[in-house]
Amino acid sequence: MSKEKPALPKGMRDFGPKVLQKRNYIFSVIKNTFERFGFQPLETPTMENLSVLTGKYGDEGDQLIFKVLNSGDFLNKVTLNDLEDGYKKTTRKISEKALRYDLTVPFARYVVMNRNEITFPFKRYQIQPVWRADRPQKGRYREFYQCDADVVGTNSLLCEAEIVLMIDEVLTTLGLTDFTIKINHRGILTGIAEAIGEKGREGEICVAIDKLDKIGQEGVEKELIERGIAEKSIERLRPLLSLSGENDSILEQLDPVLVDSAEGLRGLTELREVFSYLQHFNIQTAKVELDTTLARGLSYYTGCIFEVKVNKVQMGSISGGGRYDNLTGMFGLPGVSGVGFSFGVDRIYDVMEELQLFDKTVASGTKVLISNFDKAAEIYSLPILQKLREAGIAAELYPEAAKLKKQMTYADNNNIPFVLLIGSQEMETGLLNLKNMQTGEQESLKLEEILVKLK
Amino acid sequence: MSKEKPALPKGMRDFGPKVLQKRNYIFSVIKNTFERFGFQPLETPTMENLSVLTGKYGDEGDQLIFKVLNSGDFLNKVTLNDLEDGYKKTTRKISEKALRYDLTVPFARYVVMNRNEITFPFKRYQIQPVWRADRPQKGRYREFYQCDADVVGTNSLLCEAEIVLMIDEVLTTLGLTDFTIKINHRGILTGIAEAIGEKGREGEICVAIDKLDKIGQEGVEKELIERGIAEKSIERLRPLLSLSGENDSILEQLDPVLVDSAEGLRGLTELREVFSYLQHFNIQTAKVELDTTLARGLSYYTGCIFEVKVNKVQMGSISGGGRYDNLTGMFGLPGVSGVGFSFGVDRIYDVMEELQLFDKTVASGTKVLISNFDKAAEIYSLPILQKLREAGIAAELYPEAAKLKKQMTYADNNNIPFVLLIGSQEMETGLLNLKNMQTGEQESLKLEEILVKLK
């Protein structure tokens, strides 16, 4: 056995109790909302066949997929030729499986493999970790959770409106108040490209304006020129990227611009329908902002796109998504339209820490610790411990007789809010001494009173 | 993009909504019990350094660890010599990380790395998947969950008693009634080896008697002979493996046998203390059975050992564990005693399916589906949908106007127990038509009544 000092691999994290309790709180709020909106859980395996993942995330993505070495003598199919051809060719000979890179491709695979059993529309949510061999840096890890919800098999824009509702509900429940749900439509972007005389080049335009936050207006324009977009077109584009006013007003300003673009008109019509749903749902529409500069990199979106920013906090988007018309096409099943979005839990966690939104009780597991001074007190405490737990109260008995200070330190370090002190006097009278660890206050109470108080 | 038919790797599983809802129910019962007993959650990363895992599970275990290929040009450190030396030597050059094989070794690593921040005794639970490159077969998968709870940093036998309580509570809550919690002590096994004249050979004796269930008494004796245990010793052993009666009576029968063995006496004393705790906790002791043939393979146990069988069902143990005195020694931190156990969720799931213990409501996500016949009804339904969800009721509106039959099939296939039918009459009167999908019964109710009924 090695006695070396153990360490974690780069970009990997342990989650100890205090952090995990807060993370689990975020997960539970997300899960609860997904379920109340009728989404059903799905879990796919950690390992997929490498062939399922390869070619879905671009060349760079392929490099970032973690590959798993074949079991047993993985070398037996490798020839010297393979090795001379380099590691990429060798990879295919010694690795057939890889770790999940996102939740979207496994979901598409699941839908295709189970299309005869699934009743469409299929509303699924999935909360699982994914792995990417990215260079680790602040806020970027090699293992992180994604929380996705998608509806496939319907074109209804009710789904888009419900996504906005879910984002609003999750963030509000978590205590966030100042956030903006940005919305745009690929049709608008396509229509704008047409309108400025760059028909068909919306992809390149999107890649550039997607960087607006990072490199500013000037930077975007410079990149557009580098990408061969005409100066004249950029001049026409400029006002369209800084439309202001209410969403209705922005739509009205776009009407004449997009009048000759079928895709542009589709975008306008669909956005108006989403806003109409939201009005009926009575959501505070101030939070929803039509933003013609919202592009989102992923090329598979075909309809509405979303992104969520927390205002007055230095942090990228904490949620995003959109509609795609051909998710399962990559596995030979065309024509399945869907819309989905994802929460970034690591970022939400960081924002909540920064804004001090975690209630102290979130991080507390055990509600009450019973002290343990000697064998007699220990035995006396056993049925009390059991009654507390039966009442649904998380309770512990310190497992051995120890000094008061040690037991108090244990309660403090574990954020246990109450300690039940049981000594000879308490055993005689049956009145137990309940200490509030935050205020220091002590009360003599009957067990029944304690049960009510702690519940 | 490949258009090949997608498939899952061998031994990997998708969990669709119906199965996952039941699995999540089991997890939530386990988690709830762990937390009520004061255990705190921990999560460790999927990938560990290969050096952390190697050498901890025996030679066979090392072979079953899934190794992850280094990112980038993994071949650049490999020489022709390495390749000629075979795949084992090459593995170390091209793979530095591996997938978690169990939860125990990562837990030990965590304790050692965080020993200065942890307040001992440390009670942690961990519910995460593990991976083993085992040959897949019925009930054995290459990815499966473990649910572990351990206390480290105390010798208190209260922990052993609480493990029995937790097993009892989890299984009882899940609806299992006929199960046996078997308990034994390594000291008893050591003492028996001494008593029959085979001092120090309890390891070999344990390996053999561990197979009693599979190969029977005769098989065990044959194996003992093969392992070089004397016939005379086996004769002395025979009655000690078939002691019967109450636990107290078995202990009394063992007293004279183990009188000269320090380890044997320790075993007797500790078991008596555990039984005494259980008596004070008032657990139905019929379920706890001292079994001198219980050995458990893992060599690191040093005190009490546990195993749980569901009676009258063809299934191996669904839970097990024990005390170990040197868990963190493998990482250079000796003297940390601990006791822990684990639930086998896949087996519990199968047993519950066989005994039909899953309540139908467990598998149901959405409580009520609102029908969608036309745009007017859809708009009328939006605030109703919102009120249902605000009341905590999982609700869906069928996302597009469709034929009644299609919507009913959707509700049926998704186990949705109620459908709210809203047509022109309902919109006029405000009395909504609530259909119970199990009984077929329909009622005209005000929304307020429906909220109360479905809550």
Side-chain angles (χ1 to χ4, degrees):
Chain A
M1 286 193 190
S2 71
K3 299 263 177 173
E4 65 174 312
K5 227 173 156 183
L8 280 174
K10 249 194 322 187
M12 297 288 150
R13 294 171 289 173
D14 285 322
F15 294 109
K18 277 170 200 174
V19 174
L20 193 53
Q21 279 158 346
K22 295 182 204 170
R23 281 173 66 89
N24 284 344
Y25 169 67
I26 299 174
F27 286 127
S28 73
V29 168
I30 293 173
K31 193 170 170 234
N32 185 283
T33 299
F34 286 166
E35 290 184 352
R36 220 141 23 74
F37 276 76
F39 286 77
Q40 303 185 69
L42 174 71
E43 280 181 18
T44 62
T46 294
M47 283 182 252
E48 294 277 354
N49 285 321
L50 189 51
S51 58
V52 163
L53 303 187
T54 306
K56 309 302 188 297
Y57 308 105
D59 283 347
E60 201 198 344
D62 280 351
Q63 289 302 305
L64 301 184
I65 294 171
F66 279 110
K67 286 100 184 167
V68 176
L69 205 53
N70 292 343
S71 304
D73 185 0
F74 55 85
L75 283 178
N76 66 6
K77 282 184 210 153
V78 179
T79 66
L80 216 53
N81 260 346
D82 296 326
L83 295 171
E84 277 163 6
D85 284 354
Y87 76 98
K88 286 188 192 182
K89 187 156 179 204
T90 308
T91 302
R92 270 170 279 156
K93 292 284 180 91
I94 64 176
S95 165
E96 282 162 8
K97 293 180 291 289
L99 303 190
R100 193 165 54 219
Y101 182 86
D102 73 356
L103 303 180
T104 306
V105 170
F107 174 51
R109 176 198 49 72
Y110 176 85
V111 169
V112 172
M113 282 177 66
N114 296 276
R115 61 184 178 276
N116 297 323
E117 289 79 46
I118 292 172
T119 309
F120 293 96
F122 181 42
K123 301 169 78 171
R124 89 85 174 77
Y125 76 85
Q126 194 168 348
I127 300 178
Q128 290 192 282
V130 300
W131 297 268
R132 296 184 184 177
D134 248 327
R135 194 174 297 277
Q137 54 186 46
K138 192 177 176 300
R140 188 189 287 170
Y141 306 98
R142 291 183 151 191
E143 172 176 51
F144 58 96
Y145 268 79
Q146 292 194 331
C147 305
D148 284 21
D150 291 76
V151 190
V152 292
T154 174
N155 294 307
S156 168
L157 293 159
L158 175 61
C159 305
E160 274 82 345
E162 292 202 320
I163 286 176
V164 173
L165 291 189
M166 286 191 281
I167 292 170
D168 184 55
E169 180 173 312
V170 165
L171 299 185
T172 305
T173 306
L174 291 175
L176 289 161
T177 49
D178 192 7
F179 56 88
T180 305
I181 303 172
K182 293 185 181 183
I183 186 167
N184 196 9
H185 193 289
R186 275 287 158 131
I188 303 274
L189 293 165
T190 306
I192 285 178
E194 284 180 43
I196 63 171
E198 300 285 349
K199 186 169 175 170
R201 306 194 64 181
E202 63 270 18
E204 289 146 285
I205 296 172
C206 285
V207 170
I209 64 175
D210 213 19
K211 298 178 185 161
L212 193 60
D213 272 1
K214 283 181 202 147
I215 59 178
Q217 179 78 19
E218 254 181 79
V220 169
E221 293 189 5
K222 202 177 142 218
E223 178 158 343
L224 286 169
I225 289 168
E226 282 164 17
R227 288 177 179 274
I229 305 293
E231 292 255 16
K232 195 179 58 187
S233 306
I234 296 175
E235 247 160 70
R236 285 194 205 156
L237 177 64
R238 204 172 292 139
L240 300 177
L241 298 184
S242 54
L243 298 173
S244 65
E246 298 290 308
N247 295 331
D248 287 350
S249 148
I250 293 176
L251 288 169
E252 271 171 40
Q253 295 171 60
L254 286 170
D255 277 331
V257 179
L258 303 179
V259 69
D260 293 325
S261 160
E263 270 300 287
L265 291 174
R266 182 173 72 93
L268 292 171
T269 307
E270 294 194 357
L271 281 175
R272 284 195 163 98
E273 192 168 342
V274 173
F275 290 137
S276 158
Y277 275 119
L278 291 175
Q279 212 166 2
H280 287 293
F281 272 128
N282 207 9
I283 184 179
Q284 205 192 318
T285 43
K287 283 183 187 159
V288 184
E289 197 178 294
L290 170 53
D291 181 352
T292 52
T293 71
L294 176 64
R296 284 187 73 76
L298 279 168
S299 56
Y300 58 71
Y301 291 126
T302 51
C304 286
I305 44 182
F306 308 96
E307 208 164 89
V308 184
K309 289 253 165 124
V310 180
N311 302 318
K312 294 169 201 149
V313 171
Q314 279 282 9
M315 179 64 76
S317 67
I318 57 170
S319 176
R323 179 171 288 274
Y324 39 81
D325 274 344
N326 199 18
L327 178 70
T328 56
M330 60 176 105
F331 298 118
L333 180 67
V336 178
S337 180
V339 58
F341 76 116
S342 185
F343 284 112
V345 165
D346 287 297
R347 289 182 171 183
I348 292 176
Y349 180 94
D350 288 346
V351 168
M352 288 182 66
E353 279 289 10
E354 185 174 336
L355 300 176
Q356 297 185 296
L357 293 178
F358 287 111
D359 194 305
K360 220 195 158 182
T361 56
V362 166
S364 162
T366 297
K367 193 77 176 274
V368 59
L369 172 73
I370 307 180
S371 65
N372 189 338
F373 297 124
D374 54 34
K375 198 73 195 168
E378 182 184 90
I379 289 173
Y380 182 89
S381 302
L382 296 175
I384 294 170
L385 177 63
Q386 205 165 20
K387 288 212 179 83
L388 284 162
R389 287 173 179 162
E390 278 167 10
I393 298 159
E396 289 178 65
L397 169 61
Y398 198 81
E400 54 202 50
K403 287 198 176 139
L404 179 61
K405 185 158 181 274
K406 194 175 177 189
Q407 301 188 45
M408 287 301 182
T409 304
Y410 178 86
D412 264 337
N413 291 354
N414 288 307
N415 285 338
I416 301 175
F418 292 95
V419 173
L420 197 53
L421 295 156
I422 301 183
S424 51
Q425 201 190 325
E426 284 75 17
M427 290 191 271
E428 258 168 51
T429 61
L431 284 173
L432 310 177
N433 188 347
L434 184 70
K435 177 168 181 167
N436 181 322
M437 293 296 284
Q438 243 179 322
T439 64
E441 203 187 340
Q442 301 196 16
E443 286 183 282
S444 274
L445 297 167
K446 285 189 216 158
L447 178 58
E448 292 68 37
E449 296 170 312
I450 291 169
L451 291 177
V452 172
K453 197 180 167 80
L454 297 185
K455 238 178 171 172
Chain B
M1 286 192 190
S2 71
K3 298 264 179 175
E4 66 175 310
K5 228 174 154 182
L8 281 174
K10 249 193 323 189
M12 297 289 149
R13 294 172 288 172
D14 285 322
F15 294 108
K18 278 170 198 173
V19 174
L20 192 53
Q21 279 157 346
K22 294 182 202 169
R23 282 172 65 90
N24 284 344
Y25 169 67
I26 299 174
F27 285 127
S28 73
V29 168
I30 292 172
K31 194 171 168 232
N32 185 282
T33 299
F34 285 166
E35 290 184 352
R36 219 141 23 73
F37 277 74
F39 286 77
Q40 303 186 70
L42 174 71
E43 280 181 18
T44 62
T46 293
M47 284 183 249
E48 293 278 354
N49 284 321
L50 188 51
S51 57
V52 163
L53 303 186
T54 306
K56 310 302 188 297
Y57 308 106
D59 284 347
E60 203 198 341
D62 280 352
Q63 289 303 304
L64 300 183
I65 294 172
F66 278 111
K67 285 103 184 165
V68 176
L69 205 53
N70 292 343
S71 303
D73 184 0
F74 56 85
L75 283 178
N76 65 7
K77 283 183 211 153
V78 179
T79 65
L80 216 54
N81 260 347
D82 295 328
L83 295 170
E84 276 163 9
D85 283 354
Y87 75 97
K88 285 187 192 182
K89 187 154 178 206
T90 307
T91 302
R92 270 170 280 156
K93 293 283 183 92
I94 64 176
S95 164
E96 280 160 10
K97 293 180 291 291
L99 302 190
R100 194 166 52 220
Y101 182 86
D102 73 356
L103 302 181
T104 306
V105 170
F107 174 51
R109 177 197 51 71
Y110 177 84
V111 169
V112 172
M113 281 177 66
N114 296 276
R115 61 184 178 277
N116 296 324
E117 288 78 47
I118 292 172
T119 309
F120 294 97
F122 181 42
K123 301 168 78 170
R124 89 84 173 78
Y125 76 86
Q126 194 168 350
I127 300 180
Q128 291 191 280
V130 300
W131 297 269
R132 297 184 184 177
D134 248 326
R135 194 173 296 277
Q137 55 186 55
K138 191 178 174 301
R140 187 188 287 171
Y141 306 98
R142 292 183 150 192
E143 173 176 50
F144 58 97
Y145 268 81
Q146 292 194 331
C147 305
D148 284 21
D150 291 76
V151 190
V152 292
T154 174
N155 294 307
S156 168
L157 293 159
L158 175 62
C159 304
E160 274 81 344
E162 293 203 320
I163 286 176
V164 172
L165 291 190
M166 286 192 280
I167 293 170
D168 184 55
E169 179 172 312
V170 164
L171 300 184
T172 305
T173 307
L174 291 174
L176 289 161
T177 49
D178 192 5
F179 57 88
T180 305
I181 302 171
K182 293 187 180 180
I183 187 168
N184 197 9
H185 194 288
R186 275 286 158 131
I188 303 274
L189 293 165
T190 305
I192 285 178
E194 285 179 43
I196 65 172
E198 300 285 351
K199 185 170 176 170
R201 305 194 64 182
E202 64 269 19
E204 290 147 285
I205 296 173
C206 284
V207 170
I209 64 175
D210 212 20
K211 300 179 185 160
L212 193 61
D213 272 2
K214 284 181 200 147
I215 59 178
Q217 179 78 20
E218 256 180 78
V220 169
E221 294 188 4
K222 202 175 143 223
E223 177 157 341
L224 285 168
I225 288 167
E226 283 166 14
R227 288 177 177 273
I229 305 293
E231 293 255 17
K232 195 177 60 186
S233 306
I234 296 174
E235 246 162 68
R236 286 196 205 154
L237 178 64
R238 201 172 294 139
L240 300 177
L241 298 184
S242 55
L243 298 175
S244 64
E246 298 289 309
N247 295 333
D248 286 350
S249 148
I250 294 176
L251 287 170
E252 271 172 38
Q253 294 171 63
L254 286 171
D255 277 331
V257 179
L258 303 180
V259 69
D260 292 325
S261 160
E263 270 299 287
L265 291 174
R266 181 173 72 94
L268 292 171
T269 307
E270 294 196 356
L271 282 175
R272 284 195 163 99
E273 193 168 342
V274 172
F275 289 137
S276 158
Y277 276 119
L278 291 174
Q279 213 166 0
H280 288 293
F281 272 126
N282 207 8
I283 185 179
Q284 205 191 319
T285 44
K287 284 182 187 162
V288 184
E289 199 178 292
L290 170 53
D291 181 351
T292 52
T293 72
L294 176 64
R296 286 188 71 77
L298 279 169
S299 55
Y300 58 71
Y301 291 126
T302 51
C304 285
I305 44 182
F306 308 95
E307 208 164 88
V308 184
K309 290 251 165 126
V310 179
N311 302 317
K312 293 170 200 147
V313 170
Q314 279 281 10
M315 180 62 76
S317 66
I318 57 169
S319 176
R323 180 173 286 275
Y324 39 81
D325 275 343
N326 199 18
L327 178 70
T328 56
M330 59 176 108
F331 297 118
L333 180 68
V336 179
S337 179
V339 57
F341 77 115
S342 185
F343 283 111
V345 165
D346 288 298
R347 287 182 172 182
I348 292 176
Y349 181 94
D350 287 348
V351 167
M352 288 182 67
E353 278 289 8
E354 185 174 337
L355 300 175
Q356 298 185 296
L357 293 179
F358 287 112
D359 194 302
K360 220 195 159 183
T361 56
V362 166
S364 162
T366 298
K367 194 77 176 276
V368 58
L369 173 73
I370 305 180
S371 65
N372 188 340
F373 297 124
D374 53 34
K375 198 71 195 169
E378 183 185 90
I379 289 172
Y380 183 88
S381 301
L382 296 176
I384 295 171
L385 178 61
Q386 205 166 18
K387 288 213 178 81
L388 285 161
R389 287 173 179 162
E390 277 168 10
I393 297 159
E396 288 178 66
L397 168 62
Y398 197 81
E400 54 203 48
K403 286 197 176 141
L404 179 62
K405 185 157 180 278
K406 195 175 176 189
Q407 301 188 45
M408 288 301 184
T409 304
Y410 178 84
D412 264 336
N413 291 354
N414 288 306
N415 285 337
I416 301 176
F418 292 96
V419 173
L420 197 52
L421 296 157
I422 300 183
S424 52
Q425 202 189 325
E426 283 76 16
M427 290 190 272
E428 259 166 52
T429 61
L431 285 172
L432 310 176
N433 188 346
L434 185 70
K435 178 168 180 166
N436 181 321
M437 295 296 285
Q438 243 179 324
T439 64
E441 202 187 340
Q442 302 194 17
E443 285 181 282
S444 275
L445 298 168
K446 283 188 218 159
L447 178 58
E448 292 68 39
E449 296 169 312
I450 290 168
L451 291 177
V452 172
K453 198 181 165 82
L454 297 185
K455 237 179 171 171

